[in-house]
């Protein structure tokens, strides 16, 4: 089978992934305006999508098909490691916020409120 079909699919997937990599890029560009845990998670997201885009580019060339997979696999592993590091840092930030609020307020802050809670103030009927 020609490389053109998977190349078009990977390119379409990378283009459709803009709903994830554009906010990740915005998180990185925001710098100190975002929590420190957002940076490794955003880098992980960008690594995943950059690996997909580079694989698509390689599949459009006459290079062997396995070369694209050789680029995609390390990008997926590195992206996953960065995302995991962001998750660990986020949990540490939540624990620190919990300790801070425990020192300020005698009542514990519910875990749902710490993680962001519901996005709307409306209740369902």
């Amino acid at each position: 089978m020609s490389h053109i079909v998977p190349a078009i699919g990977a390119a379409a997937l990378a283009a459709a992934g803009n709903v994830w990599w554009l906010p990740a890029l915005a998180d990185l560009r925001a710098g100190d305006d975002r929590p420190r845990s957002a940076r490794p998670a955003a880098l992980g997201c960008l690594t995943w999508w950059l690996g997909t885009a580079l694989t698509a580019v390689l599949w459009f060339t006459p290079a062997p098909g396995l070369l694209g997979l050789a680029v995609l696999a390390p990008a997926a592993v590195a992206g996953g490691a960065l995302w995991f590091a962001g998750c660990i840092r986020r949990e540490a930030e939540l624990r620190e916020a919990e300790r801070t609020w425990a020192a300020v307020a005698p009542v514990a802050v519910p875990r749902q409120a710490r993680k962001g809670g519901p996005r709307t103030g409306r209740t369902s009927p």
Side-chain angles (χ1 to χ4, degrees), residues 45-71:
C45 180
L46 288 174
T47 304
W48 286 330
W49 290 108
L50 183 62
T52 305
L54 287 176
T55 300
V57 168
L58 283 174
W59 280 342
F60 276 118
T61 66
L66 291 178
L67 184 61
L69 295 178
V71 169

Side-chain angles (χ1 to χ4, degrees), residues 92-107 109:
E93 288 173 354
L94 288 174
R95 284 192 302 274
E96 181 183 347
E98 188 174 279
R99 283 192 303 270
T100 302
W101 280 107
V104 173
V107 179
V109 177

Side-chain angles (χ1 to χ4, degrees), residues 9-82:
L13 183 66
N18 70 1
V19 297
W20 289 285
W21 59 259
L22 281 176
L25 188 61
D27 280 346
L28 284 179
R29 290 189 48 96
D32 290 336
D33 289 342
R34 300 285 195 275
R36 293 180 58 85
S37 62
R39 292 179 198 147
L43 277 173
C45 180
L46 288 174
T47 304
W48 286 330
W49 290 108
L50 183 62
T52 305
L54 287 176
T55 300
V57 168
L58 283 174
W59 280 342
F60 276 118
T61 66
L66 291 178
L67 184 61
L69 295 178
V71 169
L72 186 61
V77 170
L82 285 165

